[in-house]
Amino acid sequence: MVPRLEVTSKKEPFILAKSQVIADPQTNRGTAFTVEERKRLGLMGRLPAAVETLEQQAARAYKQVCRLDDDLDKYIYLEQLHDRNEVLYYKMIIDHIAELLPVIYDPTIGEAIKKWSADYRRSRAIYLSVDRVEDVRPTFEGLGLGPDDVDLLVVSDAEQILGIGDWGVNGTDISVGKLAVYTAAAGIDPSRVIAVNLDVGTDNEELLNDPDYLGNRHARVRGERYDALVNEYLSVASELYPHALLHFEDFGAANARRILVVNRAKYRIFNDDMQGTGAIVISAVIADMKTNGTTFADQRLLVYGAGTAGTGMADQIHAGMVRAGLTPKEAKNRIWLIDRSGLVTDDMEDLPDYQATYARNASEVADWERTDGAIGLLETVRRAMWQPMYADLKA
């Protein structure tokens, strides 16, 4: 459903009507303003004579998009439309969601993020700096939003953007884009959301040496200072907007699972890369089990690519196995992770915490075949999947 936003919204009607109504993307309706509305709002002579329906506006806008050959050019056009007429923007996205979702989000948004500072046009987010943690509260308070005015915040520190890595403040659009998906696909009111960038610096030398870069020009801060910013964000956001979901997006492997585990009992927090991806995989597993008449207790899981998303899947399937009657240890023994260094085992150095949970005992796989010192996918499938299945069939 396309949000129907009242022209006067929560702002003082006379002031808004005379100075802001066609400048504010949430209230501007462009050529869809009727003659009566134009008279009432002081817009006579400010628009062409034609009065169009939203459908007519959307048809014109879609034709304009279709004239563009490059997806990044389409992204820029849609971003500019978003900045001047939000209702029209979402109407067109919803009408052509299969075609335009890859333009406003992945994969096109990756190219837009790389050029974000150089092509900077308008901010649709707030920026919280690790160098000024004391500004977190006044930043949110300056928005003038009450405890019942916000449903959702999407925050990213942009350390692991999609498949392109660390892009610092340029990664702001990943939060903005995710919120657009929430509205287009789930009907979340775009006037009740906030996009947030945690600017903790960047280790991307290309950005640090770029004169156009708009973020903090220092290496990515970690440890206590980083945690202080995250903790202040969580504390202030949850206090000011107690009913809002705090969505975390594209955090690096060292922080994503740790932040979720430490804070999920205290805050309404959600990590999309772990829990969102895991939920999609779980739905596929459940559909398969219904077809085959099996349960989670019958499954064996091999995760190929054991990052935060992969281990997030493992966490949720492990939970399903336990609910189906297995003990936590039995469930763990049915899960194998493969990462860049091959099968994850407990004798590997510097195992991240999210992998250590599922690391196999090195003695258990001592006689498994290795290639360049690593146990690969084929050997793991043969030993962990095929042989047990064959043994079960024989039994």
Side-chain angles (χ1 to χ4, degrees), residues 337-348:
L337 305 183
I338 294 183
D339 209 354
R340 296 176 183 178
S341 300
L343 179 67
V344 175
T345 55
D346 60 8
D347 61 342
M348 291 179 168

Side-chain angles (χ1 to χ4, degrees), residues 79-382:
E79 183 185 56
Q80 292 171 335
L81 177 61
H82 195 183
D83 288 342
R84 67 176 184 268
N85 189 330
E86 198 162 80
V87 171
L88 175 56
Y89 168 81
Y90 282 115
K91 167 64 176 172
M92 189 168 67
I93 297 299
I94 292 168
D95 284 352
H96 306 280
I97 194 164
E99 178 184 353
L100 296 182
L101 205 57
V103 175
I104 66 168
Y105 201 61
D106 188 24
T108 308
I109 200 170
E111 289 305 307
I113 284 170
K114 292 177 181 179
K115 301 176 181 179
W116 186 85
S117 286
D119 293 347
Y120 181 80
R121 288 172 287 274
R122 177 183 185 271
S123 174
R124 300 188 67 86
I126 64 170
Y127 306 86
L128 307 178
S129 172
V130 72
D131 300 326
R132 297 190 60 85
V133 175
E134 68 275 12
D135 289 348
V136 172
R137 180 174 293 276
T139 295
F140 280 115
E141 290 177 342
L143 299 177
L145 297 169
D148 298 320
D149 294 338
V150 179
D151 297 323
L152 174 65
L153 296 90
V154 174
V155 62
S156 180
D157 71 354
E159 184 174 8
Q160 193 57 56
I161 295 291
L162 302 172
I164 61 176
D166 178 356
W167 282 88
V169 78
N170 280 28
T172 299
D173 271 6
I174 204 69
S175 297
V176 174
K178 182 64 74 171
L179 286 172
V181 174
Y182 265 116
T183 294
I188 302 298
D189 187 336
S191 69
R192 297 178 58 82
V193 303
I194 304 173
V196 183
N197 175 269
L198 299 185
D199 188 353
V200 298
T202 179
D203 292 334
N204 186 328
E205 291 294 329
E206 179 184 342
L207 294 179
L208 293 175
N209 294 322
D210 182 354
D212 291 328
Y213 182 58
L214 293 172
N216 285 325
R217 290 180 178 273
H218 56 63
R220 186 169 281 272
V221 171
R222 304 183 187 279
E224 291 183 5
R225 287 182 59 207
Y226 176 92
D227 287 346
L229 177 61
V230 172
N231 292 339
E232 183 70 359
Y233 164 71
L234 286 169
S235 175
V236 172
S238 62
E239 175 192 333
L240 296 180
Y241 318 119
H243 310 299
L245 173 66
L246 307 179
H247 172 130
F248 278 59
E249 182 79 24
D250 286 354
F251 280 69
N255 293 312
R257 190 174 192 274
R258 179 179 65 87
I259 291 172
L260 177 65
V261 170
V262 170
N263 294 287
R264 62 186 174 189
K266 186 176 181 181
Y267 300 108
R268 189 180 286 109
I269 184 174
F270 170 79
N271 184 291
D272 187 49
D273 305 291
M274 295 179 62
Q275 295 165 295
T277 306
I280 296 298
V281 172
I282 281 284
S283 67
V285 172
I286 291 173
D288 178 74
M289 291 189 303
K290 287 181 177 179
T291 300
N292 295 319
T294 58
T295 71
F296 276 107
D298 301 312
Q299 309 306 312
R300 303 171 78 84
L301 172 67
L302 192 157
V303 178
Y304 187 62
T308 52
T311 51
M313 300 173 203
D315 286 343
Q316 295 195 39
I317 292 175
H318 179 275
M321 291 176 173
V322 172
R323 285 195 298 270
L326 299 182
T327 67
K329 183 177 180 181
E330 288 172 334
K332 175 187 172 183
N333 287 338
R334 292 169 176 260
I335 298 172
W336 290 261
L337 305 183
I338 294 183
D339 209 354
R340 296 176 183 178
S341 300
L343 179 67
V344 175
T345 55
D346 60 8
D347 61 342
M348 291 179 168
E349 295 183 0
D350 301 321
L351 271 183
D353 59 349
Y354 56 88
Q355 290 186 349
T357 301
Y358 300 104
R360 308 301 296 196
N361 189 299
S363 62
E364 170 194 344
V365 297
D367 63 339
W368 289 22
E369 183 180 319
R370 284 169 165 75
T371 302
D372 297 326
I375 299 173
L377 175 62
L378 182 58
E379 177 68 358
T380 305
V381 170
R382 183 172 71 88

